[in-house]
């Protein structure tokens, strides 16, 4: 089955460009377009996309406002944010809302298709510029707050730390299961338990924390080096 994609951007030229790139990619099907968050929610209900490529700055309902509503649908899609702003507070809000990836709009066609495939498979993608800004922002909190997160990571079980590091490297649950020689059900259990113990809402927040804590060396969208332990 092809990966079903919904493109959401208030600029028709950008939507056309994204559609052209994805239309030539094997295994990816663009099922619809939307010009704002309200149209995105309506279209997602009808087309049931696997991935929504989401702009953040749009009239009426923004991408940030639309993301949590999309994730509450009966068959929620994965949300991949494309933005021209790498320091915007909206990126932080979309992260907290549960978006699965953040990329700048100057990416190449190959990077876009790779990101769509990664997100559709359950992985996380992040542009180096956005990841650096997120980590810098996170490290600006009080030393006590950062040390507290490191203590929480240290208190995780070995398996939970391994799962955290691999999520930080952009791995899907299936890839983690294969890497750690675990069942898929066990990986899901470890991931859910790890998020709860760290007080995190989603995998993208876990990926940022893993990078911030030095568990991952980030190299590009969806790709990182995993440092166990």
């Amino acid at each position: 089955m092809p990966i079903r994609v919904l493109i959401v951007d208030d600029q028709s030229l950008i939507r056309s460009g994204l559609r052209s790139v994805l239309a030539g990619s094997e295994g990816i099907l663009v099922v619809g377009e939307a010009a704002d968050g309200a149209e995105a929610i309506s279209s997602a209900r009808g087309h049931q996309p696997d991935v929504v490529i989401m702009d953040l700055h749009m009239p009426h309902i923004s991408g940030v406002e639309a993301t949590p509503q999309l994730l509450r649908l009966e068959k929620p899609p994965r949300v991949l944010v494309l933005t021209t702003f790498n320091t915007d507070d909206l990126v932080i809000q979309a992260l907290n809302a549960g978006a699965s990836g953040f990329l700048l709009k100057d990416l190449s066609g190959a990077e876009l298709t790779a990101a769509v495939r990664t997100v559709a498979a359950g992985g996380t993608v992040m542009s180096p510029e956005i990841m650096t800004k997120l980590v810098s922002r996170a490290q600006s909190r009080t030393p006590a707050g950062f040390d507290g997160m490191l203590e929480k990571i240290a208190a995780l079980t070995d398996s939970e730390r391994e799962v955290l590091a691999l999520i930080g490297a952009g791995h899907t649950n299936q890839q983690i299961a294969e890497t750690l020689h675990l069942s898929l059900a066990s990986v899901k259990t470890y991931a859910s338990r790890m998020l709860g113990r760290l007080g995190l809402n989603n995998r993208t927040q876990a990926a940022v924390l893993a990078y911030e804590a030095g568990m991952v060396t980030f190299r590009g969208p969806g790709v990182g080096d995993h440092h166990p332990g």
Side-chain angles (χ1 to χ4, degrees):
M1 295 292 291
I3 300 170
R4 298 168 62 82
V5 177
L6 172 65
I7 299 171
V8 185
D9 196 291
D10 63 335
Q11 298 185 40
S12 60
L13 185 60
I14 291 179
R15 295 199 306 272
S16 297
L18 294 174
R19 177 182 281 272
S20 296
V21 170
L22 296 175
S25 303
E26 184 178 355
I28 296 178
L29 175 65
V30 177
V31 296
E33 298 180 13
D36 61 39
E39 288 184 15
I41 296 164
S42 176
S43 185
R45 288 195 178 102
H47 293 296
Q48 297 186 344
D50 302 303
V51 176
V52 174
I53 297 177
M54 179 73 75
D55 185 27
L56 293 182
H57 290 266
M58 295 183 294
H60 309 305
I61 295 181
S62 71
V64 170
E65 295 170 312
T67 293
Q69 296 185 56
L70 288 170
L71 298 181
R72 287 196 295 267
L73 294 177
E74 184 177 353
K75 293 185 178 180
R78 307 272 290 177
V79 177
L80 172 61
V81 170
L82 288 189
T83 180
T84 55
F85 303 91
N86 65 355
T87 59
D88 200 319
D89 283 346
L90 290 180
V91 173
I92 304 295
Q93 295 175 38
L95 165 66
N96 292 331
S100 299
F102 301 84
L103 298 175
L104 297 180
K105 288 183 178 178
D106 61 356
L107 80 171
S108 68
E111 289 173 332
L112 176 62
T113 55
V116 168
R117 297 183 197 282
T118 297
V119 167
T124 300
V125 296
M126 195 87 67
S127 74
E129 297 91 343
I130 291 178
M131 177 65 89
T132 299
K133 293 293 184 181
L134 290 175
V135 170
S136 176
R137 186 179 182 120
Q139 290 178 334
S140 68
R141 61 178 174 242
T142 64
F146 181 62
D147 291 344
M149 288 305 297
L150 293 180
E151 291 175 1
K152 288 183 178 180
I153 292 174
L156 297 175
T157 67
D158 290 343
S159 295
E160 289 166 352
R161 278 195 300 274
E162 284 284 339
V163 168
L164 172 60
L166 289 168
I167 286 176
H171 287 49
T172 65
N173 282 344
Q174 184 62 50
Q175 292 170 328
I176 294 172
E178 294 170 358
T179 300
L180 300 181
H181 306 290
L182 297 170
S183 69
L184 189 58
S186 294
V187 171
K188 291 179 179 179
T189 297
Y190 288 134
S192 177
R193 188 181 302 158
M194 175 270 295
L195 291 173
R197 295 180 67 181
L198 294 177
L200 303 176
N201 296 323
N202 54 64
R203 294 169 70 95
T204 315
Q205 291 180 341
V208 173
L209 177 60
Y211 182 56
E212 178 190 359
M215 302 173 75
V216 176
T217 301
F218 194 78
R219 300 184 310 196
V223 180
D225 290 325
H226 164 221
H227 299 302

